[in-house]
Coordinates of all heavy atoms in Angstrom, one line a residue:
L7 N 2.9 12.8 -4.1 CA 2.9 12.8 -5.6 C 1.7 12.0 -6.1 O 1.3 11.0 -5.5 CB 4.2 12.1 -6.1 CG 5.5 12.9 -5.8 CD1 6.6 12.0 -6.3 CD2 5.5 14.2 -6.6
F8 N 1.3 12.4 -7.3 CA 0.2 11.6 -7.9 C 0.8 10.3 -8.5 O 1.9 10.3 -9.0 CB -0.4 12.4 -9.1 CG -1.3 13.5 -8.6 CD1 -0.9 14.8 -8.5 CD2 -2.6 13.1 -8.3 CE1 -1.8 15.7 -8.0 CE2 -3.5 14.1 -7.9 CZ -3.1 15.4 -7.8
L9 N 0.1 9.3 -8.3 CA 0.6 8.0 -8.8 C 0.8 8.0 -10.3 O 1.8 7.5 -10.7 CB -0.5 6.9 -8.4 CG -0.1 5.4 -8.8 CD1 1.1 5.0 -8.0 CD2 -1.2 4.5 -8.5
R10 N -0.1 8.6 -11.0 CA 0.1 8.7 -12.5 C 1.4 9.3 -12.9 O 2.2 8.9 -13.7 CB -1.1 9.4 -13.1 CG -0.9 9.4 -14.7 CD -2.1 10.1 -15.3 NE -3.2 9.2 -15.1 CZ -4.4 9.3 -15.6 NH1 -4.6 10.3 -16.5 NH2 -5.4 8.5 -15.4
F11 N 1.8 10.4 -12.2 CA 3.0 11.2 -12.5 C 4.2 10.2 -12.2 O 5.1 10.1 -13.0 CB 3.1 12.4 -11.6 CG 4.5 13.1 -11.6 CD1 4.7 14.0 -12.6 CD2 5.4 12.8 -10.7 CE1 6.0 14.6 -12.7 CE2 6.7 13.4 -10.7 CZ 6.9 14.3 -11.7
W12 N 4.1 9.5 -11.0 CA 5.2 8.6 -10.7 C 5.3 7.5 -11.7 O 6.4 7.1 -12.1 CB 4.9 8.0 -9.3 CG 6.0 7.3 -8.7 CD1 7.1 7.8 -8.0 CD2 6.2 5.9 -8.7 NE1 7.9 6.8 -7.6 CE2 7.4 5.6 -8.0 CE3 5.5 4.8 -9.2 CZ2 7.9 4.3 -7.8 CZ3 6.0 3.5 -9.0 CH2 7.2 3.3 -8.4
L13 N 4.2 6.9 -12.1 CA 4.3 5.8 -13.0 C 4.8 6.3 -14.4 O 5.6 5.5 -15.0 CB 2.9 5.2 -13.2 CG 2.3 4.4 -12.0 CD1 0.9 4.0 -12.3 CD2 3.2 3.2 -11.7
N14 N 4.5 7.5 -14.8 CA 4.9 8.0 -16.1 C 6.4 8.3 -16.1 O 7.0 8.3 -17.2 CB 4.1 9.2 -16.6 CG 2.7 8.8 -16.9 OD1 2.4 7.7 -17.3 ND2 1.8 9.8 -16.9
H15 N 6.9 8.6 -14.9 CA 8.3 9.0 -14.9 C 9.3 7.9 -14.4 O 10.5 8.1 -14.2 CB 8.5 10.2 -14.0 CG 7.9 11.4 -14.6 ND1 6.6 11.8 -14.6 CD2 8.5 12.4 -15.4 CE1 6.4 12.9 -15.3 NE2 7.5 13.3 -15.8
F16 N 8.8 6.7 -14.3 CA 9.6 5.5 -14.0 C 9.3 4.4 -15.0 O 8.6 3.4 -14.7 CB 9.4 5.1 -12.6 CG 9.9 6.0 -11.6 CD1 9.2 7.0 -11.0 CD2 11.3 5.9 -11.2 CE1 9.7 7.9 -10.1 CE2 11.8 6.8 -10.3 CZ 11.0 7.8 -9.8
P17 N 9.7 4.6 -16.3 CA 9.3 3.7 -17.3 C 10.0 2.3 -17.2 O 9.6 1.4 -17.9 CB 9.9 4.4 -18.6 CG 11.0 5.2 -18.1 CD 10.6 5.7 -16.7
L18 N 10.8 2.1 -16.2 CA 11.5 0.8 -16.0 C 10.5 -0.2 -15.4 O 10.8 -1.5 -15.4 CB 12.7 0.9 -15.2 CG 13.8 1.8 -15.8 CD1 15.0 1.9 -14.8 CD2 14.3 1.2 -17.1
L19 N 9.4 0.2 -14.9 CA 8.4 -0.7 -14.4 C 7.7 -1.4 -15.5 O 7.4 -0.9 -16.5 CB 7.3 0.0 -13.5 CG 7.8 0.7 -12.2 CD1 6.7 1.5 -11.6 CD2 8.3 -0.3 -11.3
T20 N 7.4 -2.7 -15.3 CA 6.7 -3.4 -16.3 C 5.2 -3.1 -16.2 O 4.8 -2.5 -15.3 CB 6.8 -5.0 -16.1 OG1 6.1 -5.3 -14.8 CG2 8.3 -5.4 -16.0
A21 N 4.5 -3.4 -17.3 CA 3.1 -3.1 -17.3 C 2.3 -3.8 -16.1 O 1.4 -3.2 -15.6 CB 2.5 -3.6 -18.6
E22 N 2.8 -5.0 -15.8 CA 2.2 -5.7 -14.7 C 2.4 -5.0 -13.3 O 1.5 -4.9 -12.5 CB 2.7 -7.1 -14.6 CG 2.2 -8.0 -15.7 CD 3.1 -7.8 -17.0 OE1 4.2 -7.3 -16.9 OE2 2.6 -8.2 -18.1
E23 N 3.6 -4.4 -13.2 CA 4.0 -3.7 -11.9 C 3.2 -2.4 -11.8 O 2.7 -2.1 -10.8 CB 5.5 -3.4 -11.9 CG 6.3 -4.6 -11.7 CD 7.8 -4.3 -11.9 OE1 8.2 -3.5 -12.7 OE2 8.6 -4.9 -11.1
K24 N 3.0 -1.7 -13.0 CA 2.2 -0.5 -13.0 C 0.7 -0.8 -12.6 O 0.1 -0.1 -11.9 CB 2.3 0.2 -14.3 CG 3.6 0.8 -14.6 CD 3.6 1.5 -16.0 CE 4.9 2.1 -16.3 NZ 4.9 2.8 -17.6
R25 N 0.2 -1.9 -13.2 CA -1.2 -2.3 -12.9 C -1.3 -2.7 -11.4 O -2.3 -2.2 -10.8 CB -1.5 -3.6 -13.8 CG -3.0 -4.0 -13.6 CD -3.3 -5.4 -14.1 NE -2.5 -6.3 -13.3 CZ -1.7 -7.3 -13.8 NH1 -1.5 -7.4 -15.1 NH2 -1.1 -8.1 -13.0
D26 N -0.4 -3.4 -10.9 CA -0.5 -3.7 -9.4 C -0.4 -2.5 -8.6 O -1.2 -2.4 -7.6 CB 0.7 -4.7 -9.1 CG 0.5 -6.0 -9.7 OD1 -0.6 -6.4 -10.2 OD2 1.6 -6.8 -9.8
L27 N 0.4 -1.5 -8.9 CA 0.4 -0.2 -8.1 C -0.9 0.5 -8.2 O -1.4 1.0 -7.2 CB 1.5 0.7 -8.6 CG 2.9 0.3 -8.2 CD1 4.0 1.1 -8.9 CD2 3.1 0.4 -6.7
R28 N -1.5 0.5 -9.4 CA -2.8 1.2 -9.6 C -3.9 0.5 -8.7 O -4.7 1.1 -8.1 CB -3.2 1.2 -11.0 CG -2.5 2.2 -11.9 CD -3.1 2.4 -13.2 NE -2.2 3.2 -14.1 CZ -1.4 2.7 -15.0 NH1 -1.3 1.4 -15.2 NH2 -0.6 3.4 -15.7
R29 N -3.9 -0.9 -8.8 CA -4.9 -1.6 -8.0 C -4.7 -1.4 -6.5 O -5.6 -1.3 -5.7 CB -4.7 -3.1 -8.3 CG -5.3 -3.5 -9.6 CD -5.3 -5.0 -9.9 NE -5.8 -5.3 -11.2 CZ -5.6 -6.4 -11.8 NH1 -4.9 -7.4 -11.2 NH2 -6.2 -6.6 -12.9
A30 N -3.4 -1.4 -6.1 CA -3.2 -1.2 -4.6 C -3.6 0.2 -4.2 O -4.1 0.4 -3.0 CB -1.7 -1.3 -4.3
N31 N -3.5 1.2 -5.0 CA -4.0 2.6 -4.7 C -5.5 2.7 -4.7 O -6.0 3.7 -4.1 CB -3.3 3.6 -5.7 CG -3.3 5.0 -5.1 OD1 -3.0 5.2 -4.0 ND2 -3.8 5.9 -6.0
K32 N -6.2 1.8 -5.3 CA -7.7 1.9 -5.3 C -8.3 1.2 -4.1 O -9.3 0.6 -4.2 CB -8.2 1.3 -6.6 CG -7.9 2.2 -7.8 CD -8.6 1.7 -9.0 CE -8.3 2.6 -10.2 NZ -9.0 2.3 -11.4
R33 N -7.7 1.3 -3.0 CA -8.3 0.8 -1.8 C -9.5 1.6 -1.4 O -9.6 2.7 -1.8 CB -7.2 0.8 -0.7 CG -6.8 2.1 -0.3 CD -5.6 2.2 0.5 NE -5.2 3.5 1.0 CZ -4.8 4.5 0.2 NH1 -4.6 4.3 -1.1 NH2 -4.5 5.6 0.7
L34 N -10.3 1.0 -0.6 CA -11.5 1.7 -0.1 C -11.0 2.7 1.0 O -10.3 2.3 2.0 CB -12.5 0.8 0.5 CG -13.2 -0.1 -0.5 CD1 -14.2 -1.0 0.3 CD2 -14.0 0.7 -1.5
T35 N -11.3 4.0 0.8 CA -10.8 5.0 1.7 C -12.0 5.8 2.1 O -12.9 6.1 1.4 CB -9.8 5.9 0.9 OG1 -8.7 5.2 0.4 CG2 -9.2 7.0 1.8
T36 N -11.9 6.2 3.4 CA -12.9 7.1 3.9 C -12.4 8.5 3.7 O -11.3 8.9 4.2 CB -13.2 6.9 5.4 OG1 -13.6 5.5 5.6 CG2 -14.2 7.8 5.9
L37 N -13.1 9.4 3.0 CA -12.7 10.7 2.7 C -13.0 11.6 4.0 O -14.0 11.4 4.6 CB -13.4 11.3 1.5 CG -13.0 10.7 0.2 CD1 -13.9 11.2 -0.9 CD2 -11.6 10.9 -0.2
T38 N -12.1 12.5 4.2 CA -12.4 13.5 5.3 C -13.0 14.7 4.7 O -12.9 14.9 3.4 CB -11.1 13.9 6.0 OG1 -10.2 14.5 5.1 CG2 -10.4 12.6 6.6
V39 N -13.5 15.6 5.5 CA -14.0 16.9 5.0 C -12.9 17.7 4.3 O -13.1 18.3 3.2 CB -14.6 17.7 6.2 CG1 -15.0 19.1 5.7 CG2 -15.8 17.0 6.7
Q40 N -11.7 17.6 4.8 CA -10.6 18.3 4.2 C -10.3 17.8 2.8 O -10.0 18.5 1.9 CB -9.3 18.2 5.1 CG -8.1 18.9 4.5 CD -8.3 20.4 4.4 OE1 -8.9 21.0 5.3 NE2 -7.7 21.0 3.4
D41 N -10.4 16.4 2.7 CA -10.2 15.8 1.4 C -11.2 16.3 0.4 O -10.9 16.6 -0.8 CB -10.3 14.3 1.5 CG -9.2 13.6 2.3 OD1 -8.1 14.2 2.4 OD2 -9.4 12.5 2.7
V42 N -12.5 16.3 0.8 CA -13.5 16.8 -0.1 C -13.4 18.2 -0.4 O -13.6 18.6 -1.6 CB -14.9 16.5 0.6 CG1 -16.0 17.0 -0.3 CG2 -15.1 15.0 0.8
L43 N -13.0 19.1 0.5 CA -12.7 20.5 0.2 C -11.7 20.6 -0.9 O -11.8 21.3 -1.9 CB -12.3 21.2 1.4 CG -13.4 21.6 2.4 CD1 -12.7 22.1 3.7 CD2 -14.4 22.6 1.9
E44 N -10.6 19.8 -0.8 CA -9.6 19.9 -1.8 C -10.0 19.3 -3.1 O -9.8 19.9 -4.2 CB -8.3 19.0 -1.3 CG -7.6 19.7 -0.1 CD -6.6 18.8 0.4 OE1 -6.3 17.7 -0.1 OE2 -6.0 19.1 1.5
I45 N -10.8 18.2 -3.1 CA -11.3 17.7 -4.3 C -12.2 18.7 -5.0 O -12.1 18.9 -6.2 CB -12.1 16.3 -4.0 CG1 -11.1 15.3 -3.6 CG2 -12.9 15.9 -5.3 CD1 -11.7 14.0 -3.1
K46 N -13.1 19.3 -4.3 CA -14.1 20.3 -4.9 C -13.3 21.5 -5.4 O -13.6 22.0 -6.5 CB -15.1 20.7 -3.9 CG -16.2 19.6 -3.6 CD -17.3 20.2 -2.7 CE -18.4 19.2 -2.6 NZ -19.6 19.8 -2.2
Y47 N -12.3 21.9 -4.7 CA -11.5 23.0 -5.2 C -10.8 22.6 -6.6 O -10.9 23.4 -7.5 CB -10.4 23.4 -4.2 CG -9.5 24.4 -4.7 CD1 -9.9 25.8 -4.8 CD2 -8.2 24.1 -5.2 CE1 -9.0 26.7 -5.3 CE2 -7.3 25.1 -5.7 CZ -7.7 26.4 -5.7 OH -6.9 27.3 -6.2
F48 N -10.1 21.5 -6.6 CA -9.4 21.0 -7.8 C -10.4 20.8 -9.0 O -10.1 21.2 -10.1 CB -8.6 19.8 -7.6 CG -7.5 20.0 -6.7 CD1 -7.2 19.1 -5.7 CD2 -6.6 21.0 -6.8 CE1 -6.1 19.2 -4.8 CE2 -5.5 21.2 -6.0 CZ -5.2 20.3 -5.0
L49 N -11.6 20.3 -8.7 CA -12.6 20.1 -9.7 C -13.1 21.5 -10.3 O -13.3 21.6 -11.5 CB -13.8 19.3 -9.2 CG -13.6 17.8 -9.0 CD1 -14.8 17.2 -8.2 CD2 -13.3 17.1 -10.3
S50 N -13.3 22.5 -9.4 CA -13.8 23.8 -9.8 C -12.7 24.5 -10.7 O -13.1 25.3 -11.5 CB -14.1 24.6 -8.6 OG -13.0 25.1 -7.9
K51 N -11.4 24.2 -10.5 CA -10.4 24.9 -11.2 C -9.9 24.0 -12.4 O -9.1 24.5 -13.2 CB -9.2 25.1 -10.3 CG -9.4 26.0 -9.1 CD -9.8 27.4 -9.6 CE -10.1 28.2 -8.3 NZ -10.7 29.5 -8.7
N52 N -10.6 22.9 -12.6 CA -10.2 21.9 -13.7 C -8.7 21.7 -13.7 O -8.0 21.6 -14.7 CB -10.6 22.5 -15.1 CG -12.1 22.5 -15.2 OD1 -12.8 21.6 -14.8 ND2 -12.6 23.6 -15.8
S53 N -8.1 21.6 -12.5 CA -6.7 21.3 -12.3 C -6.3 19.9 -12.6 O -5.2 19.7 -13.1 CB -6.3 21.6 -10.8 OG -6.6 23.0 -10.5
F54 N -7.1 19.0 -12.3 CA -6.8 17.5 -12.5 C -8.0 16.8 -13.1 O -9.2 17.3 -12.8 CB -6.4 16.9 -11.2 CG -5.2 17.5 -10.6 CD1 -5.3 18.4 -9.5 CD2 -3.9 17.3 -11.0 CE1 -4.2 19.0 -8.9 CE2 -2.8 17.9 -10.5 CZ -3.0 18.8 -9.4
T55 N -7.8 15.7 -13.7 CA -8.9 14.9 -14.1 C -9.5 14.2 -13.0 O -8.9 14.0 -11.9 CB -8.5 13.9 -15.2 OG1 -7.6 12.9 -14.6 CG2 -7.8 14.5 -16.4
Q56 N -10.8 13.7 -13.2 CA -11.4 12.9 -12.1 C -10.6 11.7 -11.8 O -10.4 11.3 -10.6 CB -12.8 12.6 -12.5 CG -13.7 13.8 -12.5 CD -15.1 13.4 -12.9 OE1 -15.6 12.2 -12.7 NE2 -15.9 14.4 -13.4
G57 N -10.0 11.1 -12.8 CA -9.1 9.9 -12.6 C -7.9 10.2 -11.8 O -7.5 9.4 -10.9
D58 N -7.3 11.3 -12.1 CA -6.1 11.7 -11.3 C -6.5 11.9 -9.8 O -5.8 11.5 -8.9 CB -5.5 13.0 -11.8 CG -4.8 12.8 -13.1 OD1 -4.4 11.7 -13.5 OD2 -4.6 13.8 -13.8
L59 N -7.6 12.6 -9.6 CA -8.0 12.8 -8.2 C -8.4 11.5 -7.5 O -8.1 11.3 -6.3 CB -9.2 13.8 -8.2 CG -8.9 15.2 -8.6 CD1 -10.2 16.0 -8.7 CD2 -8.0 15.9 -7.5
A60 N -9.0 10.6 -8.2 CA -9.4 9.3 -7.7 C -8.1 8.5 -7.2 O -8.0 8.0 -6.2 CB -10.2 8.5 -8.7
L61 N -7.1 8.6 -8.1 CA -5.8 7.9 -7.7 C -5.2 8.6 -6.5 O -4.7 7.9 -5.6 CB -4.8 8.0 -8.9 CG -5.1 7.0 -10.1 CD1 -4.2 7.3 -11.2 CD2 -4.9 5.6 -9.6
Q62 N -5.2 9.9 -6.5 CA -4.5 10.6 -5.4 C -5.2 10.3 -4.0 O -4.5 10.1 -3.0 CB -4.6 12.1 -5.7 CG -4.1 13.0 -4.5 CD -2.6 12.8 -4.2 OE1 -1.9 12.3 -5.1 NE2 -2.2 13.1 -3.0
Y63 N -6.5 10.3 -4.0 CA -7.3 10.1 -2.8 C -7.7 8.6 -2.5 O -8.3 8.4 -1.5 CB -8.5 11.0 -2.8 CG -8.1 12.5 -2.6 CD1 -7.9 13.3 -3.8 CD2 -7.8 13.0 -1.4 CE1 -7.5 14.6 -3.7 CE2 -7.4 14.3 -1.3 CZ -7.2 15.1 -2.4 OH -6.8 16.4 -2.3
G64 N -7.3 7.7 -3.4 CA -7.6 6.3 -3.1 C -9.0 5.9 -3.2 O -9.5 5.0 -2.5
V65 N -9.8 6.6 -4.1 CA -11.2 6.3 -4.3 C -11.4 6.0 -5.8 O -10.5 6.1 -6.6 CB -12.1 7.4 -3.8 CG1 -11.9 7.6 -2.3 CG2 -11.8 8.7 -4.5
T66 N -12.6 5.7 -6.1 CA -12.9 5.4 -7.5 C -13.3 6.7 -8.2 O -13.6 7.7 -7.6 CB -14.1 4.4 -7.6 OG1 -15.3 5.1 -7.1 CG2 -13.8 3.1 -6.9
K67 N -13.3 6.6 -9.6 CA -13.7 7.8 -10.4 C -15.2 8.1 -10.1 O -15.6 9.2 -10.1 CB -13.5 7.5 -11.8 CG -12.0 7.6 -12.2 CD -11.9 7.6 -13.8 CE -11.4 6.2 -14.2 NZ -11.2 6.1 -15.7
G68 N -15.9 7.1 -9.9 CA -17.4 7.2 -9.6 C -17.6 8.1 -8.3 O -18.5 8.9 -8.2
T69 N -16.7 7.9 -7.3 CA -16.8 8.7 -6.1 C -16.6 10.1 -6.4 O -17.3 11.0 -5.9 CB -15.8 8.2 -5.0 OG1 -16.1 6.8 -4.7 CG2 -15.8 9.0 -3.8
I70 N -15.5 10.4 -7.2 CA -15.2 11.8 -7.5 C -16.4 12.4 -8.4 O -16.8 13.5 -8.2 CB -13.9 11.8 -8.3 CG1 -12.7 11.3 -7.5 CG2 -13.6 13.3 -8.8 CD1 -12.4 12.0 -6.3
A71 N -16.9 11.6 -9.2 CA -18.1 12.1 -10.1 C -19.3 12.4 -9.2 O -19.9 13.4 -9.5 CB -18.4 11.0 -11.1
T72 N -19.6 11.6 -8.2 CA -20.7 12.0 -7.4 C -20.5 13.2 -6.5 O -21.4 14.0 -6.3 CB -21.1 10.8 -6.4 OG1 -20.0 10.5 -5.6 CG2 -21.5 9.6 -7.2
I73 N -19.2 13.5 -6.2 CA -18.9 14.7 -5.5 C -19.1 15.9 -6.4 O -19.7 16.9 -6.1 CB -17.5 14.7 -4.9 CG1 -17.3 13.6 -3.8 CG2 -17.0 16.0 -4.4 CD1 -15.9 13.3 -3.3
K74 N -18.6 15.7 -7.6 CA -18.7 16.8 -8.6 C -20.2 17.1 -8.9 O -20.5 18.3 -9.1 CB -18.0 16.4 -9.9 CG -18.0 17.5 -11.0 CD -17.2 17.1 -12.2 CE -17.2 18.2 -13.2 NZ -16.4 18.0 -14.3
R75 N -21.0 16.1 -9.1 CA -22.4 16.3 -9.4 C -23.3 16.8 -8.2 O -24.4 17.1 -8.3 CB -23.1 15.0 -9.9 CG -22.6 14.7 -11.3 CD -23.4 13.6 -11.9 NE -23.5 12.4 -11.1 CZ -22.7 11.3 -11.3 NH1 -21.8 11.3 -12.2 NH2 -22.8 10.3 -10.5
G76 N -22.7 16.7 -7.0 CA -23.4 17.2 -5.8 C -24.3 16.1 -5.2 O -25.2 16.4 -4.4
Q77 N -24.0 14.8 -5.6 CA -24.9 13.7 -5.1 C -24.4 13.2 -3.7 O -25.1 12.6 -3.0 CB -24.9 12.6 -6.1 CG -25.6 12.9 -7.4 CD -25.6 11.8 -8.4 OE1 -24.5 11.2 -8.6 NE2 -26.7 11.5 -9.1
S78 N -23.1 13.5 -3.5 CA -22.6 13.2 -2.1 C -21.8 14.4 -1.6 O -21.4 15.3 -2.4 CB -21.6 12.0 -2.2 OG -20.5 12.2 -3.1
W79 N -21.7 14.5 -0.4 CA -21.0 15.6 0.3 C -21.6 16.9 0.0 O -20.9 18.0 -0.2 CB -19.5 15.6 0.0 CG -18.7 14.4 0.5 CD1 -18.5 13.2 -0.1 CD2 -18.2 14.3 1.8 NE1 -17.8 12.4 0.7 CE2 -17.6 13.0 1.9 CE3 -18.1 15.1 3.0 CZ2 -16.9 12.6 3.1 CZ3 -17.4 14.7 4.1 CH2 -16.9 13.4 4.1
K80 N -23.0 17.0 -0.1 CA -23.7 18.2 -0.5 C -23.5 19.3 0.5 O -23.5 20.5 0.2 CB -25.2 17.9 -0.6 CG -25.6 16.9 -1.6 CD -27.1 16.7 -1.4 CE -27.4 15.3 -2.1 NZ -28.8 15.0 -2.0
D81 N -23.3 18.9 1.8 CA -23.1 19.9 2.8 C -21.8 20.6 2.9 O -21.6 21.6 3.6 CB -23.4 19.3 4.2 CG -22.5 18.1 4.4 OD1 -22.2 17.4 3.4 OD2 -22.2 17.8 5.6
V82 N -20.8 20.1 2.1 CA -19.5 20.7 2.0 C -19.4 21.7 0.8 O -19.6 21.3 -0.3 CB -18.3 19.7 1.9 CG1 -17.0 20.3 1.7 CG2 -18.4 18.7 3.0
P83 N -19.2 23.0 1.1 CA -19.2 24.0 0.0 C -17.9 23.9 -0.8 O -16.9 23.4 -0.4 CB -19.3 25.3 0.8 CG -18.6 25.1 2.1 CD -19.0 23.6 2.4
T84 N -18.0 24.4 -2.0 CA -16.9 24.4 -2.9 C -16.1 25.7 -2.5 O -16.6 26.8 -2.6 CB -17.3 24.5 -4.4 OG1 -18.1 23.4 -4.7 CG2 -16.1 24.6 -5.3
P85 N -14.8 25.5 -2.1 CA -14.0 26.7 -1.7 C -13.6 27.5 -2.9 O -13.3 26.9 -4.0 CB -12.8 26.1 -1.0 CG -12.7 24.7 -1.5 CD -14.1 24.3 -1.9
T86 N -13.4 28.8 -2.7 CA -12.9 29.6 -3.8 C -11.4 29.8 -3.7 O -10.7 30.1 -4.7 CB -13.5 31.1 -3.7 OG1 -13.2 31.6 -2.4 CG2 -15.0 31.0 -4.0
E87 N -10.8 29.5 -2.6 CA -9.3 29.4 -2.4 C -8.9 28.1 -1.9 O -9.7 27.3 -1.3 CB -8.9 30.5 -1.4 CG -9.2 31.9 -1.8 CD -8.7 32.9 -0.8 OE1 -8.1 32.5 0.2 OE2 -8.9 34.1 -1.0
Y88 N -7.7 27.7 -2.1 CA -7.2 26.4 -1.7 C -7.4 26.3 -0.2 O -6.9 27.1 0.5 CB -5.7 26.2 -2.1 CG -5.2 24.8 -1.7 CD1 -5.6 23.7 -2.5 CD2 -4.4 24.6 -0.7 CE1 -5.2 22.5 -2.2 CE2 -4.0 23.4 -0.3 CZ -4.4 22.3 -1.1 OH -3.9 21.0 -0.8
P89 N -8.0 25.2 0.2 CA -8.3 25.1 1.6 C -7.1 24.9 2.5 O -6.3 24.2 2.7 CB -9.2 23.8 1.7 CG -9.2 23.2 0.4 CD -8.6 24.1 -0.6

């Protein structure tokens, strides 16, 4: 599940608890080729925001932006079907 979905559907959490969950999810993660294929697919379909994808894959929005602009992972093509 996406962290944002989870946070929005459990309003009993305090603002501090939500902040802590977001920070914990922003750990440094090494993306796999499969991850990048999925990210590129979702970006091409405008299925999720860059922020949502960053939360899901445990990276920063900047990492997602560089993938979208083709500055990183250039050798991985954008799939036309879900990988």
Side-chain angles (χ1 to χ4, degrees):
L7 290 174
F8 283 96
L9 182 63
R10 181 176 291 190
F11 173 85
W12 190 83
L13 290 175
N14 289 337
H15 288 84
F16 290 93
L18 299 177
L19 294 174
T20 67
E22 293 81 19
E23 289 171 325
K24 289 181 182 181
R25 184 195 65 233
D26 291 342
L27 283 171
R28 284 190 191 99
R29 284 182 181 164
N31 198 47
K32 287 188 178 184
R33 65 197 182 284
L34 293 177
T35 303
T36 302
L37 294 172
T38 65
V39 172
Q40 180 65 34
D41 292 337
V42 175
L43 285 169
E44 291 173 5
I45 290 168
K46 286 188 171 198
Y47 174 78
F48 291 135
L49 288 171
S50 72
K51 300 298 181 192
N52 293 320
S53 301
F54 301 100
T55 66
Q56 291 182 23
D58 288 339
L59 291 172
L61 284 173
Q62 174 66 21
Y63 290 94
V65 296
T66 65
K67 287 190 258 184
T69 299
I70 301 297
T72 60
I73 292 170
K74 183 176 182 175
R75 289 192 304 265
Q77 293 176 318
S78 62
W79 294 92
K80 298 174 199 176
D81 54 327
V82 177
T84 302
T86 56
E87 294 181 3
Y88 183 75

